[in-house]
Amino acid sequence: MRTDEGTAGPDDGIPDDVALLWGRRGGPRRGPRPSLSVADITRAAVAVADADGLDAVSMARVAAELGNSTMALYRHVRSKDELLALMTDAAMESPPEREPDGDWRAGLYAWAHGVVAVSRRHPWFARLPVGGPPIGPHNLAWLDRGLAELEPVGLPPDEAVAIVTGLLIYTQGGIRLGAELAVGYAADPDAFGARYGRLLGALVDPHRMPALARAVAAGVFDGTGTASPPPEHDATAGAEFELGLTFLLDGIAAHIARRGTPGP
Amino acid sequence: MRTDEGTAGPDDGIPDDVALLWGRRGGPRRGPRPSLSVADITRAAVAVADADGLDAVSMARVAAELGNSTMALYRHVRSKDELLALMTDAAMESPPEREPDGDWRAGLYAWAHGVVAVSRRHPWFARLPVGGPPIGPHNLAWLDRGLAELEPVGLPPDEAVAIVTGLLIYTQGGIRLGAELAVGYAADPDAFGARYGRLLGALVDPHRMPALARAVAAGVFDGTGTASPPPEHDATAGAEFELGLTFLLDGIAAHIARRGTPGP
DNA sequence: GCAGTTTAGCGTGTGATATACGCAGTTCGG
DNA sequence: CCGAACTGCGTATATCACACGCTAAACTGC
């Protein structure tokens, strides 16, 4: 028995866990008709995490949500870690359709906001282990969409990948400090806003942290504090995210301009 | 009995969990001398997470590491979540001393690399829940250092905070896609490098993901693939992180230049 | 000093968790 | 139409966070 190839068929050396991600682990059809599918299980797990947080995702809870027993899940998923990997890809949903109009900047701007919007619907996303480079269908689809926006510019492919990855790095940070922060806001809105500013005033020693103390004294943290937008805002992670994204796109634009127009 | 103020003393309305973070929860000295301290427990928990990952951090394991029983920890920490909050702050360590030399760009560059370096020593950092705006002493110290680098520029304080926060957003993303990825690399180095490129070649359908398929065909992912530097590299998250950081700093520099020199 | 009070460490118990294992009933290939 | 393969499930085990209460230590007021 091979340990690495699974029973999917003649696919080239695709590891078993990756095959699962792509829905290619259907063995030969025999025995009773399955009442559960991997897609069902993943959907239910995502729903539980969306509703009650990542810690509420237990095999028992997911099974209960599906009206099945706990152990039934293990016929479709080898371990909980495998289920988490499925959730990692499912959380990204599918990138929206969008025809490239030649404006790479607006395209990448919308792309970044799309990634943040998706992660805001699944705030537990940033707490999942990474495990490896992107390999699931949804993650790769997003990567493709980003590269497509940049394609008319005519950069060498490795540079385009590096730029999209850089944007993804920034966006992932926005998710962690923005989308996931919204969970904390929902749990305790008082910890934000004016009380946060007062707390900083009481804690920050002007001798040890002079620059921060000055910002606190200036009242910067009294309003909608650092990276803490009320969730009524749109899908972004707040003004700080916007500003940084603008700067990042500015830097990319300068780089592209420096290269001159594409072609020979 | 107040629920919110703790027993630390006459400190202004500092919530109990924040007081713990700042080491201000020492009650009146009475009873047997404690053989454990919050600092000891936090150190041990961090050591366990560094050695065997976040999932290995159980109260029993941490207590065993300290030669104590499991329940002894609960005299110093109210719950495991509180311990995780302590770890969140401890992971940031203390920012290195650095005298501002007036070059804000070099300063912020080093600052960002410092944050990444620290997180690379504690790759589990990105998997902890955020919970709220930065409030622990180490986290605030880093924020202060970033603001200090920017202070000679003379920006309005809210703008400086927004810029440092934007940089922090980017850096957090670098941690997730770089530092935490190193864990996956250590676990299975084969998943990176040439095998990754071959996998993408087998999975990516040129009709559904044309831009990505072109990049794969160009061999972009055959070498040190996307955001996947061998850990022998320095403390950064790879070439992609570098490139994005440069672009972001370029954008910030352009903004500062646009404002003109400081002062009246 | 001495009594009373406060506190640290610990042992036990409880309920939730992931998951190994084997049984029973179902369905398809031959 | 029969046996093989496969699904769902019940049980068992080990681990987890944590409530509760006990014992003994050390400080405070007398």
mmCIF file of all heavy atoms in Angstrom, chain A residues 93-141:
data_model
loop_
_atom_site.group_PDB
_atom_site.id
_atom_site.type_symbol
_atom_site.label_atom_id
_atom_site.label_comp_id
_atom_site.label_asym_id
_atom_site.label_seq_id
_atom_site.Cartn_x
_atom_site.Cartn_y
_atom_site.Cartn_z
ATOM 1 N N GLU A 93 -13.380 31.097 -0.276
ATOM 2 C CA GLU A 93 -14.488 31.079 -1.240
ATOM 3 C C GLU A 93 -13.935 31.153 -2.668
ATOM 4 O O GLU A 93 -12.828 30.697 -2.920
ATOM 5 C CB GLU A 93 -15.455 32.241 -0.944
ATOM 6 C CG GLU A 93 -15.964 32.195 0.485
ATOM 7 C CD GLU A 93 -16.827 33.416 0.843
ATOM 8 O OE1 GLU A 93 -17.065 34.262 -0.016
ATOM 9 O OE2 GLU A 93 -17.272 33.497 2.013
ATOM 10 N N SER A 94 -14.675 31.683 -3.584
ATOM 11 C CA SER A 94 -14.157 31.842 -4.951
ATOM 12 C C SER A 94 -14.019 33.319 -5.251
ATOM 13 O O SER A 94 -14.889 34.108 -4.897
ATOM 14 C CB SER A 94 -15.107 31.199 -5.967
ATOM 15 O OG SER A 94 -14.937 29.800 -5.951
ATOM 16 N N PRO A 95 -12.929 33.703 -5.888
ATOM 17 C CA PRO A 95 -12.785 35.119 -6.230
ATOM 18 C C PRO A 95 -13.902 35.538 -7.169
ATOM 19 O O PRO A 95 -14.325 34.751 -8.017
ATOM 20 C CB PRO A 95 -11.415 35.179 -6.908
ATOM 21 C CG PRO A 95 -11.104 33.785 -7.315
ATOM 22 C CD PRO A 95 -11.818 32.887 -6.372
ATOM 23 N N PRO A 96 -14.403 36.745 -7.032
ATOM 24 C CA PRO A 96 -15.473 37.215 -7.916
ATOM 25 C C PRO A 96 -14.971 37.345 -9.353
ATOM 26 O O PRO A 96 -13.793 37.617 -9.586
ATOM 27 C CB PRO A 96 -15.832 38.580 -7.330
ATOM 28 C CG PRO A 96 -14.630 39.007 -6.575
ATOM 29 C CD PRO A 96 -13.969 37.767 -6.077
ATOM 30 N N GLU A 97 -15.866 37.134 -10.258
ATOM 31 C CA GLU A 97 -15.515 37.349 -11.666
ATOM 32 C C GLU A 97 -15.264 38.836 -11.892
ATOM 33 O O GLU A 97 -15.922 39.693 -11.304
ATOM 34 C CB GLU A 97 -16.648 36.877 -12.578
ATOM 35 C CG GLU A 97 -16.696 35.369 -12.749
ATOM 36 C CD GLU A 97 -15.359 34.785 -13.209
ATOM 37 O OE1 GLU A 97 -14.713 35.377 -14.093
ATOM 38 O OE2 GLU A 97 -14.958 33.740 -12.654
ATOM 39 N N ARG A 98 -14.313 39.135 -12.776
ATOM 40 C CA ARG A 98 -13.993 40.530 -13.033
ATOM 41 C C ARG A 98 -13.194 40.590 -14.315
ATOM 42 O O ARG A 98 -12.158 39.940 -14.426
ATOM 43 C CB ARG A 98 -13.169 41.091 -11.883
ATOM 44 C CG ARG A 98 -13.176 42.616 -11.782
ATOM 45 C CD ARG A 98 -12.147 43.083 -10.760
ATOM 46 N NE ARG A 98 -11.202 43.972 -11.392
ATOM 47 C CZ ARG A 98 -11.456 45.238 -11.672
ATOM 48 N NH1 ARG A 98 -12.597 45.763 -11.302
ATOM 49 N NH2 ARG A 98 -10.578 45.991 -12.273
ATOM 50 N N GLU A 99 -13.688 41.352 -15.269
ATOM 51 C CA GLU A 99 -12.913 41.400 -16.499
ATOM 52 C C GLU A 99 -11.850 42.490 -16.390
ATOM 53 O O GLU A 99 -12.140 43.611 -15.973
ATOM 54 C CB GLU A 99 -13.788 41.661 -17.715
ATOM 55 C CG GLU A 99 -14.964 42.570 -17.459
ATOM 56 C CD GLU A 99 -16.199 42.027 -18.182
ATOM 57 O OE1 GLU A 99 -16.221 42.133 -19.407
ATOM 58 O OE2 GLU A 99 -17.093 41.471 -17.523
ATOM 59 N N PRO A 100 -10.639 42.120 -16.744
ATOM 60 C CA PRO A 100 -9.551 43.093 -16.672
ATOM 61 C C PRO A 100 -9.822 44.255 -17.623
ATOM 62 O O PRO A 100 -10.118 44.056 -18.799
ATOM 63 C CB PRO A 100 -8.317 42.284 -17.105
ATOM 64 C CG PRO A 100 -8.856 41.077 -17.793
ATOM 65 C CD PRO A 100 -10.215 40.818 -17.242
ATOM 66 N N ASP A 101 -9.766 45.460 -17.078
ATOM 67 C CA ASP A 101 -10.007 46.634 -17.924
ATOM 68 C C ASP A 101 -8.718 47.395 -18.184
ATOM 69 O O ASP A 101 -8.733 48.532 -18.605
ATOM 70 C CB ASP A 101 -11.032 47.545 -17.238
ATOM 71 C CG ASP A 101 -10.620 47.892 -15.824
ATOM 72 O OD1 ASP A 101 -9.556 47.412 -15.392
ATOM 73 O OD2 ASP A 101 -11.358 48.636 -15.161
ATOM 74 N N GLY A 102 -7.604 46.744 -17.901
ATOM 75 C CA GLY A 102 -6.334 47.389 -18.181
ATOM 76 C C GLY A 102 -5.812 48.259 -17.059
ATOM 77 O O GLY A 102 -4.651 48.624 -17.048
ATOM 78 N N ASP A 103 -6.669 48.591 -16.084
ATOM 79 C CA ASP A 103 -6.210 49.417 -14.970
ATOM 80 C C ASP A 103 -5.745 48.507 -13.838
ATOM 81 O O ASP A 103 -6.519 48.092 -12.988
ATOM 82 C CB ASP A 103 -7.360 50.317 -14.492
ATOM 83 C CG ASP A 103 -6.905 51.277 -13.396
ATOM 84 O OD1 ASP A 103 -5.752 51.145 -12.934
ATOM 85 O OD2 ASP A 103 -7.714 52.139 -13.013
ATOM 86 N N TRP A 104 -4.460 48.206 -13.860
ATOM 87 C CA TRP A 104 -3.957 47.226 -12.912
ATOM 88 C C TRP A 104 -4.097 47.733 -11.471
ATOM 89 O O TRP A 104 -4.321 46.967 -10.550
ATOM 90 C CB TRP A 104 -2.494 46.877 -13.197
ATOM 91 C CG TRP A 104 -1.545 48.034 -12.993
ATOM 92 C CD1 TRP A 104 -1.096 48.893 -13.938
ATOM 93 C CD2 TRP A 104 -0.962 48.456 -11.763
ATOM 94 N NE1 TRP A 104 -0.272 49.829 -13.383
ATOM 95 C CE2 TRP A 104 -0.162 49.583 -12.051
ATOM 96 C CE3 TRP A 104 -1.020 47.992 -10.447
ATOM 97 C CZ2 TRP A 104 0.556 50.257 -11.063
ATOM 98 C CZ3 TRP A 104 -0.305 48.659 -9.466
ATOM 99 C CH2 TRP A 104 0.480 49.785 -9.784
ATOM 100 N N ARG A 105 -4.005 49.060 -11.271
ATOM 101 C CA ARG A 105 -4.020 49.581 -9.914
ATOM 102 C C ARG A 105 -5.407 49.396 -9.285
ATOM 103 O O ARG A 105 -5.543 48.874 -8.180
ATOM 104 C CB ARG A 105 -3.642 51.066 -9.913
ATOM 105 C CG ARG A 105 -3.226 51.561 -8.541
ATOM 106 C CD ARG A 105 -3.118 53.085 -8.558
ATOM 107 N NE ARG A 105 -2.051 53.577 -7.715
ATOM 108 C CZ ARG A 105 -2.194 53.840 -6.419
ATOM 109 N NH1 ARG A 105 -3.336 53.626 -5.821
ATOM 110 N NH2 ARG A 105 -1.190 54.304 -5.721
ATOM 111 N N ALA A 106 -6.426 49.805 -10.022
ATOM 112 C CA ALA A 106 -7.786 49.603 -9.511
ATOM 113 C C ALA A 106 -8.066 48.117 -9.332
ATOM 114 O O ALA A 106 -8.720 47.707 -8.367
ATOM 115 C CB ALA A 106 -8.792 50.221 -10.479
ATOM 116 N N GLY A 107 -7.533 47.314 -10.253
ATOM 117 C CA GLY A 107 -7.755 45.876 -10.159
ATOM 118 C C GLY A 107 -7.150 45.287 -8.896
ATOM 119 O O GLY A 107 -7.797 44.548 -8.165
ATOM 120 N N LEU A 108 -5.891 45.634 -8.621
ATOM 121 C CA LEU A 108 -5.234 45.088 -7.437
ATOM 122 C C LEU A 108 -5.837 45.653 -6.157
ATOM 123 O O LEU A 108 -5.900 44.973 -5.134
ATOM 124 C CB LEU A 108 -3.726 45.382 -7.484
ATOM 125 C CG LEU A 108 -2.924 44.506 -8.441
ATOM 126 C CD1 LEU A 108 -1.432 44.788 -8.303
ATOM 127 C CD2 LEU A 108 -3.192 43.025 -8.197
ATOM 128 N N TYR A 109 -6.297 46.903 -6.233
ATOM 129 C CA TYR A 109 -6.966 47.493 -5.078
ATOM 130 C C TYR A 109 -8.221 46.695 -4.745
ATOM 131 O O TYR A 109 -8.438 46.289 -3.598
ATOM 132 C CB TYR A 109 -7.317 48.955 -5.390
ATOM 133 C CG TYR A 109 -8.031 49.675 -4.277
ATOM 134 C CD1 TYR A 109 -7.317 50.279 -3.251
ATOM 135 C CD2 TYR A 109 -9.418 49.757 -4.258
ATOM 136 C CE1 TYR A 109 -7.967 50.942 -2.228
ATOM 137 C CE2 TYR A 109 -10.083 50.418 -3.238
ATOM 138 C CZ TYR A 109 -9.358 51.007 -2.223
ATOM 139 O OH TYR A 109 -10.009 51.656 -1.213
ATOM 140 N N ALA A 110 -9.012 46.447 -5.759
ATOM 141 C CA ALA A 110 -10.234 45.666 -5.545
ATOM 142 C C ALA A 110 -9.898 44.248 -5.105
ATOM 143 O O ALA A 110 -10.580 43.663 -4.245
ATOM 144 C CB ALA A 110 -11.065 45.633 -6.825
ATOM 145 N N TRP A 111 -8.841 43.699 -5.651
ATOM 146 C CA TRP A 111 -8.410 42.346 -5.291
ATOM 147 C C TRP A 111 -8.089 42.273 -3.799
ATOM 148 O O TRP A 111 -8.571 41.387 -3.092
ATOM 149 C CB TRP A 111 -7.199 41.975 -6.138
ATOM 150 C CG TRP A 111 -6.611 40.632 -5.872
ATOM 151 C CD1 TRP A 111 -7.001 39.445 -6.428
ATOM 152 C CD2 TRP A 111 -5.514 40.323 -4.998
ATOM 153 N NE1 TRP A 111 -6.223 38.422 -5.956
ATOM 154 C CE2 TRP A 111 -5.308 38.929 -5.075
ATOM 155 C CE3 TRP A 111 -4.686 41.076 -4.164
ATOM 156 C CZ2 TRP A 111 -4.307 38.292 -4.351
ATOM 157 C CZ3 TRP A 111 -3.697 40.446 -3.445
ATOM 158 C CH2 TRP A 111 -3.507 39.066 -3.537
ATOM 159 N N ALA A 112 -7.281 43.225 -3.328
ATOM 160 C CA ALA A 112 -6.914 43.229 -1.909
ATOM 161 C C ALA A 112 -8.156 43.367 -1.035
ATOM 162 O O ALA A 112 -8.306 42.671 -0.018
ATOM 163 C CB ALA A 112 -5.927 44.360 -1.622
ATOM 164 N N HIS A 113 -9.056 44.240 -1.435
ATOM 165 C CA HIS A 113 -10.286 44.391 -0.649
ATOM 166 C C HIS A 113 -11.137 43.138 -0.706
ATOM 167 O O HIS A 113 -11.824 42.801 0.266
ATOM 168 C CB HIS A 113 -11.070 45.608 -1.148
ATOM 169 C CG HIS A 113 -10.631 46.881 -0.516
ATOM 170 N ND1 HIS A 113 -11.286 47.441 0.543
ATOM 171 C CD2 HIS A 113 -9.563 47.674 -0.765
ATOM 172 C CE1 HIS A 113 -10.650 48.550 0.903
ATOM 173 N NE2 HIS A 113 -9.597 48.707 0.117
ATOM 174 N N GLY A 114 -11.081 42.442 -1.831
ATOM 175 C CA GLY A 114 -11.821 41.186 -1.926
ATOM 176 C C GLY A 114 -11.292 40.161 -0.944
ATOM 177 O O GLY A 114 -12.059 39.484 -0.256
ATOM 178 N N VAL A 115 -9.964 40.056 -0.838
ATOM 179 C CA VAL A 115 -9.372 39.098 0.095
ATOM 180 C C VAL A 115 -9.766 39.461 1.532
ATOM 181 O O VAL A 115 -10.144 38.597 2.331
ATOM 182 C CB VAL A 115 -7.835 39.066 -0.051
ATOM 183 C CG1 VAL A 115 -7.222 38.187 1.021
ATOM 184 C CG2 VAL A 115 -7.440 38.560 -1.431
ATOM 185 N N VAL A 116 -9.704 40.752 1.854
ATOM 186 C CA VAL A 116 -10.061 41.166 3.210
ATOM 187 C C VAL A 116 -11.535 40.899 3.486
ATOM 188 O O VAL A 116 -11.908 40.431 4.570
ATOM 189 C CB VAL A 116 -9.731 42.652 3.419
ATOM 190 C CG1 VAL A 116 -10.315 43.145 4.736
ATOM 191 C CG2 VAL A 116 -8.228 42.870 3.400
ATOM 192 N N ALA A 117 -12.375 41.173 2.487
ATOM 193 C CA ALA A 117 -13.813 40.966 2.682
ATOM 194 C C ALA A 117 -14.111 39.507 2.974
ATOM 195 O O ALA A 117 -14.894 39.176 3.867
ATOM 196 C CB ALA A 117 -14.579 41.430 1.441
ATOM 197 N N VAL A 118 -13.472 38.638 2.223
ATOM 198 C CA VAL A 118 -13.687 37.208 2.426
ATOM 199 C C VAL A 118 -13.237 36.792 3.829
ATOM 200 O O VAL A 118 -13.919 36.048 4.529
ATOM 201 C CB VAL A 118 -12.922 36.422 1.327
ATOM 202 C CG1 VAL A 118 -12.436 35.100 1.855
ATOM 203 C CG2 VAL A 118 -13.792 36.221 0.111
ATOM 204 N N SER A 119 -12.082 37.293 4.236
ATOM 205 C CA SER A 119 -11.555 36.916 5.552
ATOM 206 C C SER A 119 -12.366 37.525 6.682
ATOM 207 O O SER A 119 -12.353 37.035 7.801
ATOM 208 C CB SER A 119 -10.103 37.357 5.676
ATOM 209 O OG SER A 119 -9.347 36.814 4.622
ATOM 210 N N ARG A 120 -13.050 38.605 6.379
ATOM 211 C CA ARG A 120 -13.875 39.224 7.397
ATOM 212 C C ARG A 120 -15.128 38.391 7.642
ATOM 213 O O ARG A 120 -15.684 38.406 8.727
ATOM 214 C CB ARG A 120 -14.233 40.646 6.956
ATOM 215 C CG ARG A 120 -15.058 41.415 7.924
ATOM 216 C CD ARG A 120 -15.067 42.876 7.536
ATOM 217 N NE ARG A 120 -14.074 43.593 8.301
ATOM 218 C CZ ARG A 120 -14.369 44.256 9.417
ATOM 219 N NH1 ARG A 120 -15.590 44.277 9.875
ATOM 220 N NH2 ARG A 120 -13.433 44.893 10.076
ATOM 221 N N ARG A 121 -15.539 37.668 6.622
ATOM 222 C CA ARG A 121 -16.674 36.769 6.821
ATOM 223 C C ARG A 121 -16.260 35.532 7.614
ATOM 224 O O ARG A 121 -17.105 34.838 8.163
ATOM 225 C CB ARG A 121 -17.230 36.330 5.467
ATOM 226 C CG ARG A 121 -18.128 37.375 4.816
ATOM 227 C CD ARG A 121 -18.955 36.765 3.701
ATOM 228 N NE ARG A 121 -18.192 36.494 2.492
ATOM 229 C CZ ARG A 121 -17.896 37.406 1.574
ATOM 230 N NH1 ARG A 121 -18.279 38.655 1.751
ATOM 231 N NH2 ARG A 121 -17.213 37.088 0.497
ATOM 232 N N HIS A 122 -14.947 35.269 7.655
ATOM 233 C CA HIS A 122 -14.446 34.088 8.370
ATOM 234 C C HIS A 122 -13.261 34.500 9.237
ATOM 235 O O HIS A 122 -12.115 34.181 8.919
ATOM 236 C CB HIS A 122 -14.027 33.002 7.385
ATOM 237 C CG HIS A 122 -15.044 32.727 6.322
ATOM 238 N ND1 HIS A 122 -16.275 32.177 6.610
ATOM 239 C CD2 HIS A 122 -15.044 32.950 4.992
ATOM 240 C CE1 HIS A 122 -16.976 32.053 5.484
ATOM 241 N NE2 HIS A 122 -16.243 32.527 4.489
ATOM 242 N N PRO A 123 -13.539 35.189 10.320
ATOM 243 C CA PRO A 123 -12.449 35.821 11.081
ATOM 244 C C PRO A 123 -11.483 34.823 11.722
ATOM 245 O O PRO A 123 -10.409 35.216 12.158
ATOM 246 C CB PRO A 123 -13.194 36.599 12.177
ATOM 247 C CG PRO A 123 -14.633 36.589 11.796
ATOM 248 C CD PRO A 123 -14.837 35.394 10.936
ATOM 249 N N TRP A 124 -11.860 33.579 11.764
ATOM 250 C CA TRP A 124 -11.002 32.546 12.344
ATOM 251 C C TRP A 124 -9.900 32.151 11.358
ATOM 252 O O TRP A 124 -8.979 31.424 11.723
ATOM 253 C CB TRP A 124 -11.849 31.316 12.669
ATOM 254 C CG TRP A 124 -12.888 31.036 11.638
ATOM 255 C CD1 TRP A 124 -14.176 31.482 11.637
ATOM 256 C CD2 TRP A 124 -12.724 30.285 10.429
ATOM 257 N NE1 TRP A 124 -14.830 31.037 10.504
ATOM 258 C CE2 TRP A 124 -13.961 30.306 9.743
ATOM 259 C CE3 TRP A 124 -11.664 29.591 9.862
ATOM 260 C CZ2 TRP A 124 -14.158 29.672 8.523
ATOM 261 C CZ3 TRP A 124 -11.851 28.965 8.642
ATOM 262 C CH2 TRP A 124 -13.091 29.010 7.989
ATOM 263 N N PHE A 125 -9.983 32.639 10.143
ATOM 264 C CA PHE A 125 -9.030 32.234 9.099
ATOM 265 C C PHE A 125 -7.584 32.454 9.528
ATOM 266 O O PHE A 125 -6.719 31.591 9.337
ATOM 267 C CB PHE A 125 -9.326 33.004 7.822
ATOM 268 C CG PHE A 125 -8.359 32.733 6.708
ATOM 269 C CD1 PHE A 125 -8.371 31.529 6.041
ATOM 270 C CD2 PHE A 125 -7.427 33.683 6.343
ATOM 271 C CE1 PHE A 125 -7.490 31.265 5.013
ATOM 272 C CE2 PHE A 125 -6.537 33.425 5.319
ATOM 273 C CZ PHE A 125 -6.571 32.226 4.656
ATOM 274 N N ALA A 126 -7.328 33.615 10.147
ATOM 275 C CA ALA A 126 -5.950 33.968 10.490
ATOM 276 C C ALA A 126 -5.394 33.113 11.624
ATOM 277 O O ALA A 126 -4.209 33.178 11.912
ATOM 278 C CB ALA A 126 -5.856 35.444 10.870
ATOM 279 N N ARG A 127 -6.243 32.322 12.267
ATOM 280 C CA ARG A 127 -5.746 31.514 13.375
ATOM 281 C C ARG A 127 -5.416 30.086 12.952
ATOM 282 O O ARG A 127 -4.937 29.300 13.775
ATOM 283 C CB ARG A 127 -6.769 31.508 14.507
ATOM 284 C CG ARG A 127 -6.811 32.834 15.257
ATOM 285 C CD ARG A 127 -7.674 32.712 16.489
ATOM 286 N NE ARG A 127 -7.236 31.601 17.332
ATOM 287 C CZ ARG A 127 -8.018 30.989 18.213
ATOM 288 N NH1 ARG A 127 -9.256 31.372 18.351
ATOM 289 N NH2 ARG A 127 -7.549 30.009 18.943
ATOM 290 N N LEU A 128 -5.678 29.761 11.708
ATOM 291 C CA LEU A 128 -5.362 28.415 11.250
ATOM 292 C C LEU A 128 -3.883 28.318 10.940
ATOM 293 O O LEU A 128 -3.280 29.279 10.482
ATOM 294 C CB LEU A 128 -6.182 28.094 10.001
ATOM 295 C CG LEU A 128 -7.679 27.904 10.241
ATOM 296 C CD1 LEU A 128 -8.414 27.867 8.911
ATOM 297 C CD2 LEU A 128 -7.922 26.624 11.011
ATOM 298 N N PRO A 129 -3.290 27.162 11.186
ATOM 299 C CA PRO A 129 -1.880 27.007 10.823
ATOM 300 C C PRO A 129 -1.709 27.072 9.317
ATOM 301 O O PRO A 129 -2.608 26.698 8.554
ATOM 302 C CB PRO A 129 -1.520 25.621 11.366
ATOM 303 C CG PRO A 129 -2.815 24.926 11.600
ATOM 304 C CD PRO A 129 -3.861 25.970 11.810
ATOM 305 N N VAL A 130 -0.557 27.568 8.877
ATOM 306 C CA VAL A 130 -0.331 27.746 7.445
ATOM 307 C C VAL A 130 0.075 26.431 6.793
ATOM 308 O O VAL A 130 -0.526 25.992 5.836
ATOM 309 C CB VAL A 130 0.752 28.811 7.194
ATOM 310 C CG1 VAL A 130 1.079 28.880 5.713
ATOM 311 C CG2 VAL A 130 0.269 30.151 7.694
ATOM 312 N N GLY A 131 1.104 25.814 7.322
ATOM 313 C CA GLY A 131 1.441 24.468 6.870
ATOM 314 C C GLY A 131 2.267 24.383 5.612
ATOM 315 O O GLY A 131 3.116 23.525 5.497
ATOM 316 N N GLY A 132 2.028 25.261 4.656
ATOM 317 C CA GLY A 132 2.778 25.171 3.416
ATOM 318 C C GLY A 132 2.352 26.238 2.437
ATOM 319 O O GLY A 132 1.465 27.035 2.741
ATOM 320 N N PRO A 133 2.958 26.255 1.279
ATOM 321 C CA PRO A 133 2.576 27.240 0.267
ATOM 322 C C PRO A 133 1.155 26.965 -0.220
ATOM 323 O O PRO A 133 0.652 25.861 -0.058
ATOM 324 C CB PRO A 133 3.590 27.011 -0.846
ATOM 325 C CG PRO A 133 4.107 25.641 -0.638
ATOM 326 C CD PRO A 133 4.019 25.354 0.817
ATOM 327 N N PRO A 134 0.508 27.962 -0.820
ATOM 328 C CA PRO A 134 -0.885 27.794 -1.246
ATOM 329 C C PRO A 134 -1.016 26.645 -2.231
ATOM 330 O O PRO A 134 -0.251 26.552 -3.190
ATOM 331 C CB PRO A 134 -1.226 29.135 -1.900
ATOM 332 C CG PRO A 134 0.083 29.798 -2.163
ATOM 333 C CD PRO A 134 1.015 29.302 -1.117
ATOM 334 N N ILE A 135 -1.984 25.782 -1.986
ATOM 335 C CA ILE A 135 -2.126 24.593 -2.842
ATOM 336 C C ILE A 135 -3.583 24.252 -3.114
ATOM 337 O O ILE A 135 -3.895 23.522 -4.042
ATOM 338 C CB ILE A 135 -1.386 23.391 -2.176
ATOM 339 C CG1 ILE A 135 -1.124 22.279 -3.184
ATOM 340 C CG2 ILE A 135 -2.140 22.878 -0.970
ATOM 341 C CD1 ILE A 135 -0.226 22.692 -4.310
ATOM 342 N N GLY A 136 -4.511 24.831 -2.332
ATOM 343 C CA GLY A 136 -5.925 24.531 -2.540
ATOM 344 C C GLY A 136 -6.491 25.303 -3.720
ATOM 345 O O GLY A 136 -5.941 26.325 -4.135
ATOM 346 N N PRO A 137 -7.588 24.841 -4.275
ATOM 347 C CA PRO A 137 -8.151 25.467 -5.479
ATOM 348 C C PRO A 137 -8.570 26.923 -5.271
ATOM 349 O O PRO A 137 -8.336 27.758 -6.148
ATOM 350 C CB PRO A 137 -9.351 24.577 -5.810
ATOM 351 C CG PRO A 137 -9.609 23.760 -4.596
ATOM 352 C CD PRO A 137 -8.322 23.643 -3.867
ATOM 353 N N HIS A 138 -9.170 27.231 -4.112
ATOM 354 C CA HIS A 138 -9.599 28.606 -3.921
ATOM 355 C C HIS A 138 -8.416 29.542 -3.743
ATOM 356 O O HIS A 138 -8.375 30.641 -4.306
ATOM 357 C CB HIS A 138 -10.528 28.703 -2.707
ATOM 358 C CG HIS A 138 -11.869 28.080 -2.926
ATOM 359 N ND1 HIS A 138 -12.343 27.033 -2.163
ATOM 360 C CD2 HIS A 138 -12.831 28.341 -3.841
ATOM 361 C CE1 HIS A 138 -13.547 26.695 -2.588
ATOM 362 N NE2 HIS A 138 -13.873 27.466 -3.607
ATOM 363 N N ASN A 139 -7.443 29.111 -2.952
ATOM 364 C CA ASN A 139 -6.265 29.942 -2.748
ATOM 365 C C ASN A 139 -5.543 30.207 -4.062
ATOM 366 O O ASN A 139 -5.119 31.326 -4.339
ATOM 367 C CB ASN A 139 -5.322 29.274 -1.742
ATOM 368 C CG ASN A 139 -5.682 29.589 -0.318
ATOM 369 O OD1 ASN A 139 -5.380 30.672 0.180
ATOM 370 N ND2 ASN A 139 -6.364 28.671 0.356
ATOM 371 N N LEU A 140 -5.410 29.171 -4.874
ATOM 372 C CA LEU A 140 -4.728 29.349 -6.152
ATOM 373 C C LEU A 140 -5.548 30.220 -7.099
ATOM 374 O O LEU A 140 -4.995 30.999 -7.875
ATOM 375 C CB LEU A 140 -4.434 27.984 -6.787
ATOM 376 C CG LEU A 140 -3.372 27.161 -6.047
ATOM 377 C CD1 LEU A 140 -3.118 25.844 -6.768
ATOM 378 C CD2 LEU A 140 -2.072 27.946 -5.911
ATOM 379 N N ALA A 141 -6.875 30.117 -6.989
ATOM 380 C CA ALA A 141 -7.714 30.963 -7.842
ATOM 381 C C ALA A 141 -7.493 32.437 -7.512
ATOM 382 O O ALA A 141 -7.416 33.280 -8.412
ATOM 383 C CB ALA A 141 -9.178 30.577 -7.665
#
